[in-house]
């Protein structure tokens, strides 16, 4: 080899060795300047990047950078001084460590490409400050794109087999205010990431559709009206599911509105979820928790109906095929009276399939009005407006698939004793104690029920226990009770009802009254009440087809006499018309002393009632008809009130037994009496019926008959 050639080779070798030593001594600064210049050019000189130290292995293509900061002093200064900055949004980023494996150092140095097998970002903390007009919202696609642009600059291409983000935090705020949206504990694994000249930055969002797994320890979003917290959220695009451990929402009064546990949304449409903020999925399954709804009155055709609404402000639209919610407590507040105590449902379970669209802010009825669903709950309790009664609704089950409703019980329980009640009222009034057990409805139109149009059923069955008390020692109520017959009250119910057949099983009805003279209480009761009631309705179009409500009932009167009765109540009558008839079997007359002594001041010494029949028609103002009482061996005592005791009027009793007829028929003649009773409009419908029958019985015992009238 020529000497000159050797010299050239030595020089080249020395240059290479010198270049290698220079690179080893200055490579960190060279790469640091390269990255800094790339970020500056990529952000139009608004942002600069700084990191404390780095480690670089150019042979294996590995590099790590520590304590990285990306910020803009100029934008931050403008943000403090003005309502809006040069840029609509300011980003401040700190990252503990960024490690890159399998990176092409030459392409990185030329600022043309970033290629790596793995990019590992550890504990990034990102502050996103919205300048100008406040917009409190969750992270959007534009926000995600901007973060990538600020972090990576505008390389011609970015390729990574996998991007790992570990323990990240993102804070959203308005100017210098506290963060209104916070994402803590973010872990992301994104595979096969690629952006080049053929694909724009918007494709970043597409990776969240098919290739990303995101886990977030906590998401908080607060506003003036509510605060929302999601805990342990996982979004898995490849497996198409969203899972969250807890979802809580509080209103501006810091009341807990929603508290939902262990929810899984499966087979979601990731495209709709990310690109359109639409929740489209196969199923939502949740353990439940606490849900809050709001009722409001909706006026339709002059009629006020209650509707139940739900807040659904987190997605523009939701489409779910199935829903399964476990044990849940539901609170229902009144929008018209938000300070009123809510209705509370406990142990609620809900399943639904083939559900229609749920639109934000719409009524919950749109969730299930045409789906196959079941709803069960442990019941609820609430007080009447006058605080006199506590209403208890027992466990119930509603099944739209087989059109049934089952309610274990419904009760109206007075909150004080009869004595306390009597002292608390100015005028006579009825005190009710009612329990209805095993309520079943069949052939229910659940769609009409949920849309608030009507309760429509083929058949309903129940077991009632009704107890009514009235104290005649209290001043009579001068108010008129005209218009308060049973069928008139039914027509006055605001919510439309249409039940073709109501079946009453093994009921018990008792009327207790404290006598005005005796001061003692007597009870009239019916056991083993069994009845069918047809055409129970207040719906005008149903009444136009069939206007007659008919009740056929049987019972055991006072536990000793079988009673059969028929009630015919026309629903289109303008004057309260009614038609009532009945027959009672034989019993020992002395069994009536529990009524006659305290209420009539008469004691029956002996006798037997063989049969009682009656037929009555009437209106709001009167009743008329006929009655026949068959009996024999009747002997009575008249009573008087003497201090605290009730004593027999001996002379009066002797005269009474001399005057009354001790049997009917007598001398082969049956005494039959008519009824012509003018109604005391301050008394009830049942008082008119009872008084009419009793007046006819008095005439019969006195020896009067139709022929003598």
């Amino acid at each position: 080899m020529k000497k000159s050639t050797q010299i050239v080779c030595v020089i080249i070798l020395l240059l290479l060795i010198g270049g290698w030593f220079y690179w080893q001594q200055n490579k960190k600064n060279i790469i640091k300047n390269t990255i800094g210049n790339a970020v500056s050019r990529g952000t139009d000189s608004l942002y600069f990047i700084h990191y404390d130290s780095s480690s670089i292995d150019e042979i294996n293509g590995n590099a790590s950078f520590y304590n990285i900061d990306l910020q803009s002093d100029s934008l931050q200064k403008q943000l403090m001084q003005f309502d809006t900055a040069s840029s609509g949004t300011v980003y401040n980023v700190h990252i503990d460590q960024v490690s890159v494996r399998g990176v092409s150092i030459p392409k990185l140095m030329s600022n043309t490409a970033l290629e790596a097998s793995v990019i590992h970002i550890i504990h990034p903390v990102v502050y996103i400050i919205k300048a100008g007009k406040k917009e409190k919202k969750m992270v959007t696609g534009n926000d995600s794109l901007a973060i990538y642009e600020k972090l990576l600059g505008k390389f011609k291409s970015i390729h990574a087999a996998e991007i790992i983000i570990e323990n990240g935090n993102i804070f959203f705020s308005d100017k210098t205010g506290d963060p209104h949206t916070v994402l803590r504990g973010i872990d992301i694994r994104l595979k096969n990431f690629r952006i080049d000249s053929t694909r724009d930055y918007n494709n970043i969002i597409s990776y969240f559709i098919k290739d990303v797994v995101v886990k977030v320890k906590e998401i908080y979003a607060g506003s003036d009206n509510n605060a929302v917290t999601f805990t342990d959220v996982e979004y898995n695009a490849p497996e198409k599911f969203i899972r969250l451990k807890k979802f809580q929402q509080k209103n501006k009064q810091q009341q807990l509105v929603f508290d939902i546990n262990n929810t899984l949304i499966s087979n979601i449409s990731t495209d709709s979820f990310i690109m359109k903020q639409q929740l489209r999925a196969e199923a939502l399954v949740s353990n439940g928790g606490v849900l809050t709804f709001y009722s409001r009155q909706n006026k339709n055709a002059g009629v006020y109906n209650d509707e139940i609404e739900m807040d659904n402000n987190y997605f523009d639209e939701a489409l779910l095929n199935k829903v399964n919610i476990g044990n849940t407590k539901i609170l229902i507040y009144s929008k018209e009276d938000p300070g009123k105590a809510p209705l509370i449902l406990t142990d609620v379970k809900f399943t639904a399939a083939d559900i229609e669209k749920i639109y934000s802010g719409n009524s919950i009825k749109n969730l299930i009005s045409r789906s196959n669903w079941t709803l069960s709950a442990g019941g609820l309790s609430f007080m009447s407006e006058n605080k006199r009664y506590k209403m208890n609704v027992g466990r119930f089950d509603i099944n739209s698939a087989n059109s049934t409703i089952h309610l274990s019980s419904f009760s109206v329980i007075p909150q004080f004793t009869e004595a306390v009640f009597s002292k608390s009222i100015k005028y006579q009034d009825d005190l009710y104690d009612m329990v209805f057990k095993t309520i079943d409805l069949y052939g229910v139109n659940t769609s009409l029920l949920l849309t608030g149009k009507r309760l429509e059923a083929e058949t309903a069955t129940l077991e009632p226990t009704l107890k009514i008390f009235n104290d005649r020692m209290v001043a009579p109520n001068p108010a008129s009770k005209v218009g308060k017959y049973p069928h008139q009250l039914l027509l006055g119910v605001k919510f439309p009802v249409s039940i073709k057949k109501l079946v009453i099983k093994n009921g018990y009805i008792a009327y207790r009254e404290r006598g005005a003279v005796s001061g003692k209480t007597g009870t009239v009761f019916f056991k083993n009440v069994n009845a069918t009631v047809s055409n129970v309705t207040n719906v005008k179009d149903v009444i136009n087809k069939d206007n007659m409500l008919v009740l056929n009932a049987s019972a055991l009167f006072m536990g000793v006499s079988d009673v059969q009765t028929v009630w015919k109540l026309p629903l289109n009558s303008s004057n309260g018309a009614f038609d009532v008839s009945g027959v009672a079997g034989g019993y020992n007359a002395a069994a009536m002393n529990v009524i006659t002594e305290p209420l009539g001041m008469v004691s029956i010494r002996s006798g037997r009632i063989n049969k009682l029949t009656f037929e009555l028609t009437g209106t709001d103002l009167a009743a008329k008809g006929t009655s026949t009482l068959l009996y024999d061996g009747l002997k009575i005592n008249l009573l008087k009130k003497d201090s605290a005791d009730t004593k027999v009027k001996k002379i009066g009793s002797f005269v009474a037994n001399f005057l009354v007829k001790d049997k009917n028929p007598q001398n082969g003649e049956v005494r039959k009496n008519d009824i012509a009773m003018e109604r005391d409009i301050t008394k009830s419908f049942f008082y008119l019926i009872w008084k009419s029958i009793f007046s006819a019985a008095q005439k019969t015992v006195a020896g009067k008959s139709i022929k003598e009238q």
Side-chain angles (χ1 to χ4, degrees):
M1 179 183 296
K2 294 181 179 180
K3 187 175 182 179
S4 59
T5 302
Q6 291 177 343
I7 293 173
V8 170
C9 290
V10 170
I11 292 172
I12 292 173
L13 180 61
L14 290 173
L15 288 173
L16 290 173
I17 293 172
W20 182 82
F21 277 106
Y22 179 82
W23 168 252
Q24 292 299 320
Q25 294 298 317
N26 296 280
K27 63 182 178 181
K28 293 184 179 181
N29 288 330
I30 293 172
I31 292 176
K32 187 172 186 177
N33 291 333
T34 299
I35 294 174
N37 291 333
V39 170
S40 179
R41 287 194 302 270
T43 62
D44 298 324
S45 299
L46 288 174
Y47 285 83
F48 69 87
I49 192 168
H50 170 79
Y51 56 86
D52 289 348
S53 60
S54 62
S55 61
I56 299 170
D57 178 4
E58 69 278 11
I59 296 176
N60 295 309
N62 299 331
S64 295
F65 305 89
Y66 304 95
N67 292 322
I68 305 154
D69 290 296
L70 174 74
Q71 62 187 59
S72 172
D73 289 342
S74 61
L75 289 180
Q76 192 72 37
K77 184 177 180 180
Q78 291 182 53
L79 182 65
M80 298 295 294
Q81 293 176 346
F82 306 105
D83 286 339
T84 57
S86 299
S87 174
T89 305
V90 178
Y91 299 87
N92 292 325
V93 181
H94 174 83
I95 306 174
D96 284 359
Q97 179 180 337
V98 175
S99 296
V100 185
R101 296 197 298 273
V103 68
S104 172
I105 299 297
K107 290 184 178 180
L108 179 65
M109 291 291 297
S110 65
N111 192 29
T112 60
L114 173 60
E115 294 185 1
S117 58
V118 177
I119 300 175
H120 192 178
I121 302 173
I122 300 174
H123 192 43
V125 179
V126 181
Y127 283 86
I128 302 174
I129 306 170
K130 297 286 187 179
K133 185 178 180 181
K134 292 184 179 182
E135 294 181 2
K136 296 183 179 182
K137 60 181 181 178
M138 300 287 285
V139 62
T140 66
N142 290 334
D143 293 321
S144 301
L145 171 61
I147 293 170
Y148 273 97
E149 288 179 330
K150 299 298 185 289
L151 281 172
L152 301 178
K154 294 185 178 179
F155 288 94
K156 292 181 181 179
S157 65
I158 302 174
H159 299 169
E162 185 176 20
I163 296 178
I164 301 172
I165 300 177
E166 181 182 332
N167 193 24
N169 296 327
I170 300 178
F171 301 87
F172 293 83
S173 65
D174 298 299
K175 204 178 177 184
T176 57
D178 294 330
H180 58 75
T181 303
V182 179
L183 287 78
R184 290 188 175 91
I186 304 170
D187 293 313
I188 299 176
R189 287 186 176 270
L190 177 60
K191 295 184 178 181
N192 304 316
F193 184 83
R194 175 181 295 272
I195 294 177
D196 54 32
S197 59
T198 64
R199 304 174 70 179
D200 59 32
Y201 277 101
N202 286 326
N203 278 287
I204 291 173
I205 305 303
S206 68
Y207 288 99
F208 287 83
I209 297 172
K210 60 180 181 179
D211 290 319
V212 73
V213 176
V214 180
K215 296 180 180 180
V216 185
K217 285 291 184 183
E218 181 183 84
I219 301 173
Y220 169 84
S223 70
D224 294 335
N225 294 321
N226 61 64
V228 179
T229 303
F230 300 89
T231 305
D232 288 339
V233 181
E234 180 179 358
Y235 168 63
N236 191 310
E239 299 296 326
K240 296 185 177 181
F241 71 78
I242 300 172
R243 179 186 289 118
L244 60 151
K245 184 176 181 179
K246 184 177 284 292
F247 162 52
Q248 288 188 331
Q249 178 183 350
K250 294 182 179 180
N251 60 21
K252 59 183 179 182
Q253 289 82 27
Q254 293 300 302
Q255 292 175 318
L256 194 63
V257 177
F258 292 98
D259 186 9
I260 308 302
N261 302 305
N262 299 322
T263 301
L264 174 66
I265 305 172
S266 59
N267 197 25
I268 64 170
S269 170
T270 51
D271 182 82
S272 295
F273 180 71
I274 297 298
M275 305 297 287
K276 301 177 182 178
Q277 283 192 289
Q278 294 177 344
L279 180 58
R280 296 170 178 262
E282 173 63 22
L284 183 152
V285 179
S286 174
N287 286 355
V290 176
L291 293 173
T292 300
F293 298 103
Y294 300 90
S295 68
R296 68 179 179 89
Q297 284 195 331
N298 178 36
K299 186 176 182 181
N300 186 14
V303 177
Y304 286 92
N305 294 321
D306 284 338
E307 287 188 351
I308 304 297
E309 292 186 343
M310 64 182 293
D311 278 336
N312 176 31
N313 299 321
Y314 309 106
F315 296 96
D316 295 329
E317 180 181 296
L319 278 172
L320 297 167
N321 188 46
K322 298 177 182 178
V323 172
N324 190 330
I325 300 176
N327 294 346
T328 300
K329 180 180 180 180
I330 292 181
L331 300 96
I332 304 176
Y333 287 89
S334 168
K335 278 201 167 183
E336 285 76 17
D337 188 5
K340 183 179 179 181
L343 294 179
I344 300 175
L345 288 169
T346 59
D347 193 25
V348 177
K349 298 178 182 178
F350 175 77
T351 63
D354 305 319
I355 303 171
E356 292 189 324
K357 291 182 180 180
I358 313 167
Y359 289 103
S360 178
N362 263 7
S363 305
I364 191 175
K365 64 187 181 184
N366 287 331
L367 171 68
I368 52 180
S369 60
R370 291 185 179 88
S371 62
N372 293 320
W373 54 272
T374 62
L375 173 67
S376 64
L380 71 155
S381 298
F382 56 96
M383 297 297 295
S384 62
E385 291 187 6
N386 60 10
K387 308 301 181 184
R388 184 177 292 179
Y389 302 101
K390 184 177 183 180
M391 317 292 192
N392 301 300
V393 179
R395 182 167 189 84
F396 64 86
D397 298 273
I398 307 175
N399 190 316
S400 71
N402 58 24
S403 304
T404 61
I405 297 176
H406 170 74
L407 176 61
S408 63
S409 65
F410 171 73
S411 62
V412 180
I413 307 300
Q415 295 303 286
F416 28 68
T417 64
E418 294 173 352
V420 173
F421 171 71
S422 295
K423 292 179 180 179
S424 68
I425 55 177
K426 182 178 180 181
Y427 297 114
Q428 291 177 16
D429 198 1
D430 291 330
L431 180 67
Y432 297 94
D433 185 345
M434 301 184 291
V435 178
F436 303 89
K437 296 182 179 179
T438 318
I439 304 170
D440 290 295
L441 289 87
Y442 304 93
V444 180
N445 189 324
T446 53
S447 178
L448 286 177
L449 180 63
L450 265 294
T451 55
K453 293 182 179 179
R454 71 175 70 171
L455 169 59
E456 185 177 284
E458 291 290 324
T459 305
T461 65
L462 55 86
E463 299 177 12
T465 298
L466 308 179
K467 299 176 183 178
I468 306 167
F469 170 75
N470 194 297
D471 192 341
R472 297 301 177 190
M473 297 190 74
V474 179
N477 192 336
S480 171
K481 290 190 176 181
V482 171
K484 295 185 178 180
Y485 284 175
H487 48 314
Q488 293 171 324
L489 293 175
L490 174 61
L491 293 173
V493 175
K494 291 182 179 180
F495 187 75
V497 176
S498 180
I499 301 174
K500 290 185 179 180
K501 185 171 72 171
L502 171 63
V503 179
I504 298 171
K505 298 180 178 180
N506 197 31
Y508 177 85
I509 301 173
Y511 174 75
R512 287 170 53 80
E513 182 176 298
R514 188 184 184 198
V517 177
S518 69
K520 296 182 178 180
T521 302
T523 303
V524 179
F525 65 90
F526 297 84
K527 295 172 60 177
N528 301 333
V529 179
N530 293 280
T532 59
V533 189
S534 62
N535 199 32
V536 181
T537 185
N538 57 7
V539 180
K540 186 176 180 180
D541 57 345
V542 177
I543 294 172
N544 289 338
K545 296 177 182 178
D546 182 0
N547 73 324
M548 192 63 68
L549 184 154
V550 180
L551 179 148
N552 283 275
S554 65
L556 190 61
F557 175 57
M558 302 299 292
V560 295
S561 174
D562 290 325
V563 176
Q564 303 285 334
T565 184
V566 178
W567 305 61
K568 297 180 180 179
L569 307 175
L571 297 170
N572 61 349
S573 171
S574 61
N575 64 353
F578 65 87
D579 186 320
V580 179
S581 62
V583 58
Y587 56 91
N588 188 331
M592 296 298 104
N593 281 334
V594 292
I595 307 170
T596 61
E597 289 180 1
L599 305 184
M601 300 299 287
V602 173
S603 177
I604 301 174
R605 285 160 40 194
S606 63
R608 178 172 180 79
I609 306 299
N610 296 313
K611 188 176 184 181
L612 169 68
T613 61
F614 64 90
E615 294 180 357
L616 276 173
T617 60
T619 64
D620 282 322
L621 303 177
K624 62 181 181 179
T626 60
S627 177
T628 302
L629 175 63
L630 304 180
Y631 64 95
D632 57 57
L634 182 64
K635 296 295 180 181
I636 64 173
N637 286 329
L638 301 183
L639 306 178
K640 64 178 179 178
K641 184 70 180 294
D642 184 6
S643 185
D645 297 324
T646 302
K647 296 184 177 181
V648 175
K649 295 179 178 180
K650 295 181 179 180
I651 297 176
S653 298
F654 174 80
V655 173
N657 284 301
F658 178 78
L659 295 176
V660 302
K661 303 297 182 181
D662 64 350
K663 60 183 176 181
N664 184 35
Q666 194 169 35
N667 301 323
E669 180 182 346
V670 176
R671 297 189 303 280
K672 180 179 180 182
N673 279 283
D674 64 358
I675 297 169
M677 179 65 63
E678 184 177 343
R679 180 190 180 188
D680 181 347
I681 62 173
T682 67
K683 300 295 191 297
S684 70
F685 173 75
F686 298 100
Y687 181 86
L688 175 62
I689 300 298
W690 168 255
K691 191 69 173 179
S692 298
I693 298 170
F694 184 70
S695 68
Q698 283 181 313
K699 292 177 183 179
T700 300
V701 172
K704 298 179 181 180
S705 66
I706 289 177
K707 293 180 180 180
E708 298 174 319
Q709 301 302 312

